[in-house]
């Protein structure tokens, strides 16, 4: 294997040397900066074959192989195992020896094993090459951004603002790449906010729930405020249509006091609370309550990795009534956690989501980022424990502005200029995310 090293003061010059020496199909093994010089290790495409050990087909031997001979065993027969005189000096083969002989003969009849081993070697090599490619993309992204920071400081400033507001590095990088050219910092920031607001789907009129009615189930992990949010929605429905038009159902038979908490809210509102245990109970309850204008279902909280999440989705989808699921997302959770929650609770589709605990969140860009990527309809925003005051119809422009006002202001969570290239490099692979590619720019 003839690995060659190329060094230059810039990455462009180093790449030019590689292409001139090895051609455009050269295989890059590593790329790094040493003492201010860019060093690239590369391999000619024709030398790739040396990475894989050649497969040599051996002709079949007429005689028994060593493994076959070993199958006859190395231990000597005891006197009790000695063959009768009529059989001379030979001895019988026991069951273990017969099994070994059978395995050896089967292996000798399977010449495809060597091909399978070679295929596994090639797969391993390709996996290593893909890994090196990912590392190279990350390093190149770091180098490119380091240069761009100096040439275009406005983009670096926008990137820092987006990251500090809680938005993901991949979305921040995507937007800064699409920034209009030759714009002032203020105009660039306004453009970013307008793009984010355009892609945040909100249900700006609560008549979608209060006037149309229907069956709504609030779902989500434990501790995100489903029961309190259910009570807030119930109070709004009673204020609009009266207690007789509303019914409450709870499936929370696991949490201590779960049913009792909703029953207290129901008693205050003058609404009966029905408790169900399984799909059959739910189907019967919904049949009895089909004349109600609105039915709200408070479900048991489950972690996004709990296998019972799928069972809960099946239970809500298995009734004759059309149950619309609203996912409660806590603004205090990280973007990675929220993305995992949405994928787990997605099922055959969510009607939308409700963002809770806005008053407790240090940043809200993480939650808005997930809603934009997953194209979720945001129905309500909850920012406190008061029923029903702390439930609001969302305004996308207000939420985007709030995200940047709540940005990280102090260390150690504020990003420094020299940290941005590392963050951009780690986000290189995430730029292929489908939800990111579907962000509308106008």
């Amino acid at each position: 294997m003839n690995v060659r090293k190329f060094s230059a003061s810039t990455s462009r010059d180093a790449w030019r040397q590689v292409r001139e020496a090895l051609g455009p199909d050269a295989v890059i093994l590593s790329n790094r900066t040493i003492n201010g010089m860019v060093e690239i290790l590369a391999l000619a495409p024709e030398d790739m074959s040396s990475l894989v050990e050649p497969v040599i087909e051996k002709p079949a031997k007429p005689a028994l192989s060593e493994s076959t001979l070993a199958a006859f065993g190395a231990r000597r027969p005891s006197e009790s195992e000695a063959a009768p005189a009529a059989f001379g000096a030979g001895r019988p083969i026991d069951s273990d020896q017969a099994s070994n002989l059978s395995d050896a003969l089967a292996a000798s009849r399977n010449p495809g094993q060597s091909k399978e081993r070679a295929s596994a070697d090639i797969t391993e090599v390709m996996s290593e090459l893909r890994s090196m490619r990912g590392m190279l993309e990350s390093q190149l992204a770091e180098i490119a951004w380091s240069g761009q920071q100096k040439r275009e400081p406005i983009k670096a400033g926008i990137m820092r603002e987006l990251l500090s507001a809680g938005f993901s590095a991949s979305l921040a990088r995507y937007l800064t790449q699409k920034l209009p050219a030759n714009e002032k910092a203020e105009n660039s920031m306004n453009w970013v906010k307008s793009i984010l607001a355009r892609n945040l789907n909100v249900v700006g009129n609560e008549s979608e729930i209060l006037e149309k009615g229907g069956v709504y189930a609030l779902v989500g992990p434990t501790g995100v405020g489903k029961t309190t949010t259910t009570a807030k929605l119930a109070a709004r429905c009673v204020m609009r249509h009266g207690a007789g038009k509303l019914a409450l159902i709870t499936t929370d038979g696991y949490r201590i006091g779960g049913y009792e908490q909703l029953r207290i809210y129901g008693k205050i509102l003058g609404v009966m609370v029905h408790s169900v245990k399984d799909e059959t109970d739910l189907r019967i309850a919904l049949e009895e309550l089909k004349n109600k204008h609105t039915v709200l279902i408070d479900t048991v909280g489950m972690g996004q990795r709990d296998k019972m999440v799928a069972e809960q989705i099946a239970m809500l989808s298995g009734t004759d009534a059309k149950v619309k699921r609203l996912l409660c997302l806590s603004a205090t959770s990280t973007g990675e956690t929220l993305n995992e929650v949405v994928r787990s609770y997605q099922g055959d589709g969510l009607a939308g989501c409700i963002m809770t605990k806005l008053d407790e969140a240090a940043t809200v860009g993480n939650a808005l980022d997930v809603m934009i990527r997953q194209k979720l309809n945001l129905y309500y925003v909850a920012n406190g424990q008061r029923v029903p005051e702390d439930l609001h119809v969302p305004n996308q422009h207000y939420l985007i502005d709030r995200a940047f006002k709540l940005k990280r202001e102090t260390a150690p969570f504020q990003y420094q200029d020299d940290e941005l290239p590392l963050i951009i490099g780690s986000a290189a692979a995430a730029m292929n995310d489908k939800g990111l590619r579907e962000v509308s720019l106008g």
Side-chain angles (χ1 to χ4, degrees):
M1 181 172 65
N2 186 19
V3 178
R4 298 186 58 181
K5 179 172 69 175
F6 302 88
S7 298
S9 57
T10 65
S11 58
R12 179 176 297 179
D13 291 338
W15 280 110
R16 180 178 53 77
Q17 294 179 24
V18 173
R19 286 194 298 270
E20 290 176 354
L22 303 178
D25 296 327
V27 179
I28 306 301
L29 299 180
S30 71
N31 180 299
R32 59 182 179 175
T33 302
I34 301 178
N35 298 326
M37 299 290 289
V38 177
E39 179 185 284
I40 296 178
L41 297 181
L43 184 68
E46 57 270 18
D47 290 336
M48 274 294 296
S49 59
S50 64
L51 292 176
V52 182
E53 182 179 354
V55 179
I56 302 175
E57 294 289 345
K58 296 182 179 180
K61 296 181 180 179
L64 292 177
S65 64
E66 293 182 2
S67 59
T68 305
L69 294 174
F72 286 95
R75 67 180 182 86
R76 295 183 177 181
S78 62
E79 292 181 0
S80 60
E81 292 176 325
F87 290 90
R91 64 180 179 85
I93 301 175
D94 61 25
S95 59
D96 290 339
Q97 293 169 336
S99 176
N100 292 339
L101 177 59
S102 175
D103 294 341
L105 292 175
S108 66
R109 298 192 189 101
N110 188 12
Q113 279 188 337
S114 57
K115 293 182 179 180
E116 293 176 359
R117 188 179 300 109
S119 177
D121 292 340
I122 294 175
T123 301
E124 183 178 356
V125 170
M126 295 305 297
S127 177
E128 292 177 357
L129 289 175
R130 282 192 291 268
S131 177
M132 287 191 291
R133 178 182 177 181
M135 293 173 60
L136 179 61
E137 288 178 347
S138 177
Q139 292 173 353
L140 290 177
E142 290 182 32
I143 296 172
W145 181 258
S146 296
Q148 191 177 48
Q149 270 186 290
K150 299 176 182 178
R151 296 192 309 270
E152 302 177 276
I154 291 179
K155 285 190 175 182
I158 297 295
M159 170 68 71
R160 193 185 308 107
E161 290 287 311
L162 284 162
L163 294 174
S164 298
F167 292 97
S168 65
S170 56
L171 178 59
R173 183 185 176 191
Y174 178 79
L175 291 177
T176 52
Q177 287 179 343
K178 303 297 182 180
L179 277 174
N182 303 320
E183 288 287 348
K184 296 181 179 179
E186 183 179 356
N187 293 339
S188 296
M189 195 70 238
N190 289 335
W191 181 86
V192 168
K193 289 181 179 179
S194 67
I195 296 300
L196 292 172
R198 181 182 298 126
N199 288 274
L200 181 61
N201 301 322
V202 301
V203 180
N205 188 348
E206 64 179 341
S207 295
E208 178 73 20
I209 292 180
L210 299 185
E211 292 301 328
K212 291 185 178 180
V215 182
Y216 290 89
L218 274 68
V219 299
T222 56
V224 296
K226 293 187 299 299
T227 301
T228 304
T229 305
T230 301
K232 293 175 183 178
L233 278 174
R236 284 177 175 261
C237 292
V238 170
M239 292 168 62
R240 182 72 65 95
H241 300 289
K245 295 291 186 178
L246 174 69
L248 296 174
I249 297 177
T250 178
T251 66
D252 194 350
Y254 298 90
R255 184 166 54 95
I256 297 175
Y259 167 74
E260 189 64 22
Q261 183 182 0
L262 189 62
R263 190 189 68 80
I264 293 173
Y265 284 127
K267 186 176 181 180
I268 295 173
L269 297 173
V271 178
M272 181 69 71
V273 178
H274 304 264
S275 178
V276 299
K277 297 180 180 179
D278 51 29
E279 183 178 331
T280 302
D281 285 353
L282 179 61
R283 187 181 294 108
I284 294 173
L286 290 177
E287 178 64 25
E288 293 176 352
L289 301 171
K290 62 182 179 181
N291 294 325
K292 296 291 184 180
H293 180 268
T294 305
V295 178
L296 300 177
I297 305 174
D298 179 30
T299 63
V300 59
M302 299 178 186
Q304 68 271 18
R305 299 173 186 174
D306 194 323
K307 295 181 180 179
M308 293 182 65
V309 171
E311 297 178 10
Q312 183 186 83
I313 295 174
M315 180 184 75
L316 295 172
S317 304
T319 63
D320 296 331
K322 180 175 176 57
V323 180
K324 300 177 183 178
R325 288 178 286 115
L326 297 178
L327 178 60
C328 290
L329 296 175
S330 173
T332 61
S333 299
T334 64
E336 292 84 352
T337 300
L338 292 173
N339 206 47
E340 194 174 286
V341 167
V342 173
R343 290 180 177 178
S344 177
Y345 278 88
Q346 188 81 40
D348 56 355
L350 292 166
C353 66
I354 298 176
M355 183 164 63
T356 63
K357 301 191 176 184
L358 181 63
D359 56 314
E360 301 177 20
T363 59
V364 296
N366 48 345
L368 301 179
D369 189 305
V370 172
M371 295 176 199
I372 290 173
R373 287 175 183 270
Q374 301 293 340
K375 300 192 181 323
L376 293 176
N377 294 319
L378 179 60
Y379 275 71
Y380 286 100
V381 173
N383 65 339
Q385 296 294 317
R386 294 181 301 168
V387 177
E389 293 88 348
D390 294 333
L391 188 68
H392 309 278
V393 176
N395 179 291
Q396 63 267 49
H397 297 286
Y398 168 79
L399 289 173
I400 298 299
D401 284 336
R402 185 182 177 98
F404 288 100
K405 289 178 180 178
L406 289 176
K407 64 182 181 180
R408 303 179 179 96
E409 297 287 357
T410 58
F413 300 104
Q414 184 182 21
Y415 294 106
Q416 305 300 318
D417 288 346
D418 57 351
E419 296 172 333
L420 293 181
L422 298 175
I423 298 170
I424 296 302
S426 64
M431 295 298 291
N432 294 322
D433 181 70
K434 179 182 178 182
L436 190 64
R437 297 196 304 269
E438 294 178 351
V439 171
S440 173
L441 297 175

